Amino acid sequence: MSGSNAEPSEAKDLALVDKLELKIALADSETKFGSLLNTYLAPLLLKLASEHVAVRTKVISVCKHINTRIKSPTVNLPVAALLKQYKDQQNALIRYFDLLYIQQGFDRLTASVRVERIDLLPLVLGGLSRNFQESAANSASIFNIFLRILHQLELPPRGTTEDRQLRSKLGLDEEDEAKFVATWIGKLILFFTTRAAPESCPGLTTHDCEFLQLNGKPDTWNPATSGGLNLIETKVVAIRFLASGAFTDQDKFLPALFASADPNSRLSDIGDDILKFALPSISLEDPDLIRTLLNVYLGSTTPEYSPPVRPPLRSKILNLLCKSHAATSYCSEILRIAKEGLATDPTNAARQGLEASKLRTQVFNFANWVARMAKSSDIAKIAPTLVSELHNYIESQGWPTIHEEIHGNPAELASRSYGYESIGMLAKACPEKLLLEPDLELLRWLFDSLAYDGSAKDVSLSIEQALSSVLSAFAQVSNPEIQQPLMHLLIHYAILGEPGSKDASGHTVVRNTRYVAVRFANRCLPYSNVHARWIDLLALAGGSSERGEVVEEGRRGLDPYWYRILNPLGSKELPTASSVEDSRYAMPSFEDLVEFVFSDKERALELRHGYNSAIVLCRTILLHEAISQSSKPPIVDTDWERNIDAVIHRDEDIRTGVVQFVSSMYNHRDNGRRALDLFLDAAFTGFTSDSLEEPTRSGQCLLDLCQFVPREAVDNYSPRISELKGRIYSNDRSSRVLASHIFGLLASGPASAEPVVGSMADEFWQRSTKWKSAIGSNVHQVHGSLVSLGYWAARTKVRQTSADLNNRTDQMMDLLSSIINDSKEKEILEAAVLALCQLSLFGLIQVDKISSLEGLKSIPPKLEAMAKKGDENAVHALGYLAMQCAEASGEQNLLPKLVDSLYGLHETKLPELQFAVGSALSCAAIGWKSKVLVGLFDVEGVLPREVHRDSTLNDMAEQILENCKQTKPSLRQASVIWLLSLVEYCGHCPEIKSRLRECQRAFKGFLADKYSLNQEAASRGLALVYDNGDEGVKDDLIRDLVGSFTAAKSNLSGTVSDDTQLFEPGALPTGAGSSVTTYKDIINLASEVGDPTLVYRFMSLASNSAIWSSRAAFGRFGLSRILSDSGAEKHLSSDPKLYSALYRYRFDPNDNVRTAMSQIWTTLVKDPKSTINAHFDRILEDLLKSILNREWRTRQASCAALADLIQGRPLAMYEQQLTKIWELTFKVCDDIKDSVCNAAIQLARVLRGILTRSLEAGEESAKNANAMLEQVLPLLLSPSGIEAAAKKVQAFAMITLMDVVKQTSPKVIRPYLAELVGRLLALLSSVEPDFVNYIHLNADKYGMTEQGIDDLRLNSVKLSPMMETIERCLDLLDDASMKDLATTLTNAIRTVIGLPSKVGVSRVFVTLATRHRFLFQAYADKFLRLLRRQVLDRNDTISTTAATTCGYLSRIASDEEILKLVEYAKELYFESTDDGHRTVAGELLHGMSKYAPDRFNSLASACLPFAFFGSHDSHQPARELFKSAWQDHVGGSRAVLLYLREIIDLSTRNLDSSRWSVKHTAAFTIADTVEAAGNDISIADSKLIWPSLEVAIGGKTWEGKEKVLDALVVFGKTSSLPKESVEVGEQMQRIVIRESKRSNPAYRQHALSSLADFIEHFKTSYWYDTVSGIVSPVIEEAFDDESDKMEIDSGGTTTKSSKQLQELTVANGLRALLNSVAPVPGDALMTRLSQSLVLVRRGLAMKSSTVTSAIIAGEKSLFASLADANLAEYPDQVLTDYCLTLFELDDFAEAVRMQAAEAALVLAPLCTKGERLQEAFRRSVSQAISRERSYSVQQTLKAIVKVCS
């Protein structure tokens, strides 16, 4: 059954095929044959799928016949049907034949059926990826067809509806299809052909290359073969297709990346443009994408091997990987990248090229990125190998000395720098494996590199950066196995030799490593490490010779507070007092530190400048340890050392504790005893040694320790007291006083050697008694001796160690009395007072003796006089004397007198002195009970005898409190200081405690005082009152202070009297040298002017000053501590507006107020962040209100506070007020007060920073960014912003706009781009300085030109930051914003004024046309039309710029619009009456030629003839422009023939122009056409040229007409038309003769020259008479007596002189005349020669080289014509005469003589025609040879002899 059915089917199919075969055979024409194939070919091929072999065989047979018939290229095949069938069928045989005929048929789709080709595109692309999977070979052919179609494809403008629909239209809706096409376009970009290896390309496998070459066809990419493609052009059209809407950003990304790295700029520009828009939507964290990029970079290692891509693309890929966190996880690939990137030989750097250098730089950048961003687990895998590679790379360059061959190579040096930096980054990221190992090899290598690598300064900076990177890795290390070798390493490099020296390894040190070593010691070793502190001391050893940064780092390391600042704990907050417990901050052990530093005395002395710093450090560490055992441990802060000094001299309990601690250390700790002994010895050595600087530092430490160490420790130095003599007698006062004090302590001890002490005391006494005769250094010795005796006697009195002390005391009193009374030497007087202080203080002076001894009575008055001069020692002496006085009444009682003397010192007006008075008063009041004397009792024993006191302190307190109420400024100031001293030093006494409330009121009255010192004293006094008072006192004080914060006026001020000083003298001058100062002055001034309101106005000013002054006092000396008490909280809670006031006051312009309020804020606000957040709205509202306050202080403070408030706050907190903040800020920026203005500018900068940072965030905070832009941008563009009247506001708004554009995410800023560009363009002119216009108008005055100034203005616009911002805006454009921008630019062209704005608009168009052509192309025609108006601007620079811009726009404009532009240029040139418009036309054409050469060439027939015409313009600027346009686009002069008809037509039309300039240009164009046409002008061209040439030469003479006449002669020579057309020839003769007869002298000489040339070419027998008739009168005129007065009617500016014209006219005339003598038979020849000879002789008589040379040339031509004529008879006599003229030229130059010899050589053959001629000729030649000086001329003459013979 089945067999029977099969047979009919087979037969039926065979029958159908047979019928088709018959039809094909009967088709007798190619048209019929093609029609049959179009209908039946595809169905026929379907039969190849038949199951019957016979059918398939038959079909193949028919196909063979078809193949024979279709060889003719005119037979078209049904390509579309075959393509569809190919896609639908799976049968391999059908597909084979389908593809075969598709390939043949596609080539026959001619350009006329291009649309048919394009319609095939959906069929070609549909299912292409599936076809590739089925058969890669067949798919290659289809892809090749796709590429060929692309060459005819016209893509719609980007962003249009057509562009968006292109994806579906082409059948690329399926993601796989579009991705497949894009992938192969990317591979096509990578593909290139080479003869060496056509099957291998970087980035492509062998199969990829075969696919793109049609499975190995060598001619696939040979455009010269049939069907071959141009590879570059194909890549360009493919990448343009990729840029269309047919592909998504994901599809485009990789191919665009490949294109962007292509060396061909046509590809790279498009690739960059695609990337710019695609990159934002690409996730660089996509693992598949990262893997693909790495494979492309490294190449494939699979069996289908693909080589790595080229270096430029590798650099691009690395640049992207440096933005991807995911890329850091591919460890093996990262290592391969590093190894390959660093594998090149550095010594061959010169041969590696720039791209390899760039790639290596990117490798380093990628390594740094990995080090910063990779996970710790990945870093652990990568870092060791990477560091090893980098290490090897640096050493391969030469280490530590770089190889000479690359020493000066910048690229290699940069790579070396990058290498060091990368090593540092990687080591920091993986310290466990690279740094923290016992040998510290890497760290040591980096230190060695710093010390020995001298390759370049930048390299050393990179090494330092690497060391800084690894620094943090060691900072947290506590492992002793690491710290120990680190200590030794740092010490080694801290003491390494200076630059230029050699170390133990033999390397030359090129750089000091001490600074880095000290930094490491301060950050990597704990503060307790004595080795680290030793390194710090080494940093100080160099003193002034050491670098400042080294010394400063050493000081920081020694200071525990700075150490903590440099080494904060885990948090970033600064360390506090509680940080002491951290082990890193622990203090070094005193014993260990002293043992390490001073055990080796010689090594310690090598510290030089650091020795005394070591002494001070050890002493402070010891005291810190001792005080730490007390209830008041020291706080480590900025005043750590100073606070310790203060507390040991003022706190008796602390002193007792220190004594006990040191005694325990000395007696119970062996190391302690040794350490104290070592330290005392070191301090004694440091003080007494002459080799150390600043010995007083060691001396002070020795003195301090002598007070605290056990007696036996001090007694050890008693035998050495004689060593103090040098310091006691030194020239330095401080050293003498210190040495004297130490001498007193040592010499008064029981263990001191009596003979030695006695001897020294006697010596001191002897020197002291010689005080009257002391001069020079002896004065210093007397000073030291007196002070030493005073200290010794005082301490001996306490210790009772001398029996004859009383006798010595009496003697000393007499001596001191005489010195004080009689001495004029200030230094000796000071010594006497110091000694008196010691004797008085320790009770050696009996007051009753002073009363009884006459000499001593005058001491108190003398001391008072000295004190009034500012001598504080005298003040102390008064106080110490008062200590010894009883309270007894009577005239002999000194106590009241001494106290009154102290009171009287308020007149001195020396505030510093009043503190000494206060301490003296406290001593006088309570003696040794005063706390000021705690530190002065420095020996063991019982206090000296005290005089009983009952009422002194009470009376003194009452008196001082009363004085505080006075209005006298000096008394008030002194009183508040005295009161402070009493409360501080006597506050423990009942008399003071009972008066604390009175003291409080007194101090409050000074808080508003105008003197800051009074405020400070009052503030400190209140703090002391608070500390000593009960709860009631404390509560009252807090209430008053809190209420004063928010008060409008100060409630702390005192009363006002007539003498109260309210203003500084001179602050309010009234004339005549006086000014308003006191309240009484205000009353008097108001009375004088009759205006009582002045009182209130001045008092308001004074009150305001008092308010600020009182607020400034709040933070003084611990007043803020009062408010920190818990009792203050209830007051704060009841008045929350205190926070807003306090917040603003913290930024007050007054330093005192600002400091005070900051302290109070810190005290009150425990959690600033929470407090501010809680009261944010209230604070913000207060600041916005205060920012416009009438007080400038408030305005300035509000600006600064507002800036601080909004920084770091979420936008939501102040979004509602944002616009108001900006408005008020701009308003205050124009404040009349400069400081307020500056504060507002700072606020504005903060706002700008917040804005730009928000905008930078892009997608992450798009909502905030949009919200800010919506409010801020309109304000910036409003009259309050860039259009503000204030220049500062305008400038700031402009800068803000620039930052916004530069840093904003594209999506956020795009809606505002159009308006921004428009405003910025308009502002380009507004921001130009006004003086520019002035200079432009007065350019001549400044030696400049307007054009030069305009050029500078143009250049400034190009370099302007605003222009940069505009270009950034253009880079962010998309299709929607481009549409808005087009409208803005349309308005801008019409409305902007000023050169900067107008050229700015032009520059915008240039940028759009070059960098954004796809977006801008649709608008090019419109703007090309609009720019025509700009080219006619009166300013040449604007006009030129607009014309240039038109050239750029011509790149993308339509042909129709470009032709219109050319016609417009022609209209300007030919029709405008303004000559400058011709230059504008030239600018337009030149712009097109230069900036759109392709479009210019495509429209050459319209452009080049015009360019050629304009290149002959008489105006040079225009001529040069047209000439450049012509020459840039033609290959040679004969190119004029290609456009001959157009040129002639254009010229002919303008020969009748009413404008002479155009008419002459047309004539010049025709003339140049003739000369450029070559030596053989065809008849056709001649007939085209001749009519125009004839018209051009017509008319009267004009400047330059000779060029046209010359062209006529040339035309006669090069064209055969004059010979073929008798009429033309005759007309040319008539024209030449006519022009020769012109009377214009300047033109006539040219006309005669042309006549001569014309005759020479067209010689006839009838020329002579005509020429003779023309020339003879001319020559006669030239020789006329009046000929010297020849006038020139030419208007040219470069005319020749009359003599030159005369010579040229005669010369050319004679040459024409001689050329016209034709060899005719008979006497006519004789006559013509004779007549000519006469004129020739007259010409020779002129002795002119010009004339003579012309005559010789004419004679030579004449002789030649005579020789050629071969006449039967020659005029022998005349020729003889002519012969003689040739040899009468001895006086002429060699060139003329040579010319004559050559003419004679032509005459030589004629000499045989007559005997006379022959004889004369030979004789003349012989004589000429004998006379001739020139060898070359002689040779020519000798040749004549040979011819004659």
Side-chain angles (χ1 to χ4, degrees), residues 1364-1398:
E1364 181 184 348
T1365 305
I1366 292 172
E1367 291 180 351
R1368 165 65 178 166
C1369 289
L1370 300 181
D1371 290 339
L1372 301 176
L1373 288 171
D1374 60 3
D1375 299 306
S1377 53
M1378 182 64 234
K1379 185 177 180 181
D1380 296 335
L1381 180 63
T1383 304
T1384 300
L1385 292 177
T1386 301
N1387 294 330
I1389 291 178
R1390 296 168 178 162
T1391 58
V1392 295
I1393 57 175
L1395 181 144
S1397 292
K1398 289 186 176 182

Side-chain angles (χ1 to χ4, degrees), residues 211-493:
F211 180 91
L212 293 171
Q213 293 187 103
L214 283 179
N215 303 313
K217 288 180 63 175
D219 294 334
T220 304
W221 299 105
N222 184 0
T225 61
S226 176
L229 294 172
N230 183 299
L231 181 58
I232 297 298
E233 293 299 328
T234 304
K235 289 182 178 181
V236 172
V237 297
I239 197 66
R240 285 177 178 167
F241 178 60
L242 184 77
S244 69
F247 301 93
T248 63
D249 290 339
Q250 287 72 20
D251 298 334
K252 298 175 183 178
F253 177 67
L254 283 176
L257 176 64
F258 301 159
S260 67
D262 197 275
N264 190 314
S265 62
R266 297 171 64 193
L267 290 173
S268 61
D269 288 349
I270 300 174
D272 287 334
D273 189 66
I274 297 173
L275 276 182
K276 180 177 66 177
F277 291 99
L279 194 57
S281 61
I282 300 300
S283 172
L284 293 177
E285 306 304 324
D286 181 4
D288 294 334
L289 176 61
I290 299 302
R291 171 60 67 185
T292 302
L293 290 174
L294 290 171
N295 288 339
V296 172
Y297 182 97
L298 297 169
S300 173
T301 56
T302 60
E304 292 187 2
Y305 170 73
S306 62
V309 292
R310 293 177 175 178
L313 181 53
R314 283 184 153 197
S315 297
K316 290 269 187 178
I317 293 174
L318 284 181
N319 187 42
L320 291 174
L321 294 179
C322 285
K323 301 174 183 177
S324 169
H325 289 80
T328 61
S329 62
Y330 293 82
C331 301
S332 59
E333 287 79 2
I334 293 171
L335 293 177
R336 281 189 60 194
I337 290 173
K339 288 180 180 179
E340 293 179 9
L342 303 175
T344 54
D345 182 4
T347 59
N348 294 326
R351 288 175 281 174
Q352 295 174 18
L354 179 61
E355 293 299 338
S357 177
K358 290 181 178 178
L359 176 59
R360 192 158 54 248
T361 300
Q362 284 295 343
V363 170
F364 289 126
N365 291 338
F366 185 52
N368 290 347
W369 172 260
V370 171
R372 287 189 291 114
M373 298 300 175
K375 298 177 181 178
S376 56
S377 57
D378 293 330
I379 279 289
K381 301 175 184 176
I382 298 170
T385 305
L386 266 182
V387 170
S388 176
E389 292 293 333
L390 293 166
H391 182 277
N392 294 337
Y393 174 78
I394 292 174
E395 295 203 336
S396 69
Q397 291 182 319
W399 186 91
T401 303
I402 195 169
H403 295 311
E404 284 295 329
E405 55 268 27
I406 62 174
H407 187 273
N409 189 318
E412 287 302 313
L413 292 177
S415 298
R416 193 177 184 89
S417 297
Y418 287 136
Y420 280 120
E421 292 173 13
S422 300
I423 288 175
M425 293 288 292
L426 290 165
K428 175 184 177 181
C430 186
E432 294 81 6
K433 291 190 175 183
L434 294 172
L435 293 173
L436 306 182
E437 41 88 20
D439 293 335
L440 302 177
E441 290 184 4
L442 182 58
L443 182 63
R444 192 180 304 276
W445 182 79
L446 288 174
F447 265 101
D448 285 341
S449 300
L450 181 64
Y452 309 127
D453 190 335
S455 50
K457 181 179 179 181
D458 291 342
V459 174
S460 68
L461 294 177
S462 297
I463 300 172
E464 290 183 0
Q465 183 175 337
L467 285 166
S468 297
S469 298
V470 305
L471 183 62
S472 59
F474 289 94
Q476 306 299 329
V477 175
S478 57
N479 185 356
E481 294 183 1
I482 302 298
Q483 284 192 354
Q484 285 297 325
L486 179 61
M487 288 187 303
H488 297 300
L489 181 145
L490 295 180
I491 291 176
H492 169 73
Y493 288 105

Side-chain angles (χ1 to χ4, degrees), residues 1556-1827:
W1556 282 105
S1557 57
V1558 175
K1559 186 173 184 177
H1560 293 168
T1561 302
F1564 289 146
T1565 302
I1566 295 172
D1568 195 28
T1569 302
V1570 173
E1571 295 185 3
N1575 296 325
D1576 186 13
I1577 303 176
S1578 66
I1579 293 295
D1581 292 341
S1582 298
K1583 291 180 178 180
L1584 191 63
I1585 294 171
W1586 169 246
S1588 301
L1589 182 60
E1590 183 181 9
V1591 174
I1593 199 64
K1596 64 180 181 179
T1597 60
W1598 41 272
E1599 185 179 359
K1601 186 179 180 182
E1602 62 272 8
K1603 297 179 182 178
V1604 186
L1605 183 57
D1606 291 341
L1608 180 72
V1609 176
V1610 172
F1611 182 78
K1613 294 178 180 180
T1614 57
S1615 173
S1616 58
L1617 181 62
K1619 298 177 181 178
E1620 294 187 8
S1621 173
V1622 177
E1623 181 182 354
V1624 172
E1626 292 177 351
Q1627 180 63 15
M1628 290 180 66
Q1629 292 179 18
R1630 287 193 292 270
I1631 292 172
V1632 171
I1633 293 172
R1634 182 190 72 204
E1635 297 302 317
S1636 300
K1637 295 179 180 180
R1638 299 289 185 186
S1639 60
N1640 186 309
Y1643 177 74
R1644 182 168 56 188
Q1645 57 100 0
H1646 289 292
L1648 290 174
S1649 176
S1650 298
L1651 176 63
D1653 293 338
F1654 191 81
I1655 294 172
E1656 186 176 5
H1657 187 72
F1658 296 98
K1659 284 201 172 185
T1660 59
S1661 58
Y1662 54 79
W1663 271 115
Y1664 179 78
D1665 294 334
T1666 304
V1667 173
S1668 178
I1670 297 172
V1671 172
S1672 295
V1674 172
I1675 295 177
E1676 291 296 337
E1677 181 184 350
F1679 286 97
D1680 192 9
D1681 291 340
E1682 297 297 321
S1683 63
D1684 290 338
K1685 299 179 181 179
M1686 292 175 65
E1687 294 183 359
I1688 304 170
D1689 61 0
S1690 173
T1693 59
T1694 58
T1695 57
K1696 298 179 176 62
S1697 67
S1698 298
K1699 184 177 180 181
Q1700 289 177 316
L1701 283 178
Q1702 181 188 41
E1703 291 176 354
L1704 288 171
T1705 302
V1706 172
N1708 292 332
L1710 288 174
R1711 187 165 66 87
L1713 181 64
L1714 290 172
N1715 285 346
S1716 66
V1717 180
V1720 295
D1723 296 336
L1725 178 61
M1726 178 67 176
T1727 302
R1728 294 177 180 179
L1729 288 174
S1730 300
Q1731 293 173 351
S1732 301
L1733 182 60
V1734 173
L1735 296 176
V1736 167
R1737 288 190 180 279
R1738 297 192 68 178
L1740 290 174
M1742 297 177 67
K1743 298 297 182 181
S1744 168
S1745 297
T1746 303
V1747 176
T1748 302
S1749 180
I1751 291 173
I1752 294 172
E1755 289 180 338
K1756 183 178 180 180
S1757 176
L1758 172 62
F1759 297 154
S1761 63
L1762 291 175
D1764 292 341
N1766 197 19
L1767 298 176
E1769 183 178 358
Y1770 287 91
D1772 187 33
Q1773 180 60 41
V1774 177
L1775 289 178
T1776 300
D1777 294 338
Y1778 273 104
C1779 173
L1780 295 176
T1781 62
L1782 297 175
F1783 300 103
E1784 298 172 353
L1785 307 174
D1786 294 346
D1787 295 336
F1788 287 90
E1790 179 183 348
V1792 177
R1793 301 200 305 275
M1794 175 60 79
Q1795 189 181 7
E1798 292 172 350
L1801 186 60
V1802 177
L1803 177 62
L1806 295 177
C1807 68
T1808 59
K1809 302 300 182 180
E1811 295 181 2
R1812 184 178 178 183
L1813 174 60
Q1814 185 174 12
E1815 179 63 25
F1817 192 75
R1818 288 179 178 176
R1819 183 172 63 253
S1820 299
V1821 171
S1822 298
Q1823 293 174 355
I1825 292 174
S1826 63
R1827 297 193 306 268

Side-chain angles (χ1 to χ4, degrees), residues 1313-1322 1324 1363 1366-1367 1369-1370 1373 1377-1392 1397-1409 1412 1415-1417 1419-1420 1422-1427 1429-1430 1445 1449:
L1313 289 178
E1315 185 179 3
L1316 274 172
V1317 172
R1319 292 295 186 89
L1320 291 174
L1321 285 173
L1324 282 171
M1363 202 65 230
I1366 292 172
E1367 291 180 351
C1369 289
L1370 300 181
L1373 288 171
S1377 53
M1378 182 64 234
K1379 185 177 180 181
D1380 296 335
L1381 180 63
T1383 304
T1384 300
L1385 292 177
T1386 301
N1387 294 330
I1389 291 178
R1390 296 168 178 162
T1391 58
V1392 295
S1397 292
K1398 289 186 176 182
V1399 298
V1401 172
S1402 296
R1403 188 164 179 82
V1404 167
F1405 288 129
V1406 171
T1407 303
L1408 290 172
H1412 310 283
L1415 287 172
F1416 185 60
Q1417 190 165 12
Y1419 307 93
K1422 172 185 176 182
F1423 289 113
L1424 192 58
R1425 289 192 298 272
L1426 291 174
L1427 276 173
R1429 184 183 306 171
Q1430 291 285 82
T1445 305
L1449 291 183

Side-chain angles (χ1 to χ4, degrees), residues 511-713:
R511 197 172 295 105
N512 194 314
T513 57
R514 189 172 296 117
Y515 174 68
V516 179
V518 176
R519 285 192 70 209
F520 266 78
N522 289 345
R523 290 163 179 77
C524 303
L525 298 174
Y527 187 74
S528 59
N529 189 290
V530 294
H531 295 79
R533 306 292 71 78
W534 172 254
I535 293 173
D536 290 326
L537 292 170
L538 289 174
L540 303 179
S544 59
S545 62
E546 184 61 86
R547 287 184 299 165
E549 60 183 4
V550 178
V551 175
E552 182 63 25
E553 189 66 29
R555 287 174 178 164
R556 290 179 177 179
L558 293 177
D559 189 323
Y561 176 77
W562 269 107
Y563 179 88
R564 298 174 189 206
I565 295 295
L566 296 174
N567 299 277
L569 298 176
S571 64
K572 294 185 178 180
E573 295 184 3
L574 295 179
T576 60
S578 61
S579 306
V580 173
E581 302 302 326
D582 187 84
S583 60
R584 285 181 56 80
Y585 296 160
M587 293 291 175
S589 167
F590 172 76
E591 293 98 322
D592 295 342
L593 185 60
V594 171
E595 180 68 28
F596 185 83
V597 176
F598 296 113
S599 60
D600 187 340
K601 192 170 184 177
E602 292 184 0
R603 187 183 69 167
L605 290 173
E606 291 177 358
L607 287 174
R608 296 174 296 158
H609 297 278
Y611 186 91
N612 287 303
S613 297
I615 294 290
V616 173
L617 175 67
C618 293
R619 168 258 190 189
T620 313
I621 292 295
L622 174 62
L623 293 177
H624 181 92
E625 287 185 23
I627 299 172
S628 297
Q629 307 298 319
S630 69
S631 58
K632 301 176 182 178
I635 297 176
V636 177
D637 57 12
T638 53
D639 296 322
W640 172 67
E641 184 178 336
R642 189 183 308 163
N643 291 338
I644 288 179
D645 288 341
V647 75
I648 64 170
H649 288 96
R650 296 292 173 86
D651 194 316
E652 192 170 0
D653 295 335
I654 293 295
R655 288 178 64 86
T656 302
V658 171
V659 170
Q660 294 173 355
F661 178 84
V662 175
S663 298
S664 174
M665 174 187 289
Y666 189 81
N667 295 318
H668 303 292
R669 289 158 54 179
D670 294 338
N671 290 339
R673 175 183 289 267
R674 171 175 168 76
L676 284 171
D677 288 338
L678 277 175
F679 178 73
L680 288 172
D681 181 69
F684 195 91
T685 302
F687 183 55
T688 57
S689 174
D690 294 330
S691 61
L692 298 174
E693 295 184 3
E694 296 182 305
T696 53
R697 300 182 69 194
S698 292
Q700 186 62 53
C701 294
L702 177 63
L703 178 62
D704 290 343
L705 264 292
C706 285
Q707 302 175 37
F708 300 124
V709 298
R711 181 72 254 171
E712 58 182 297

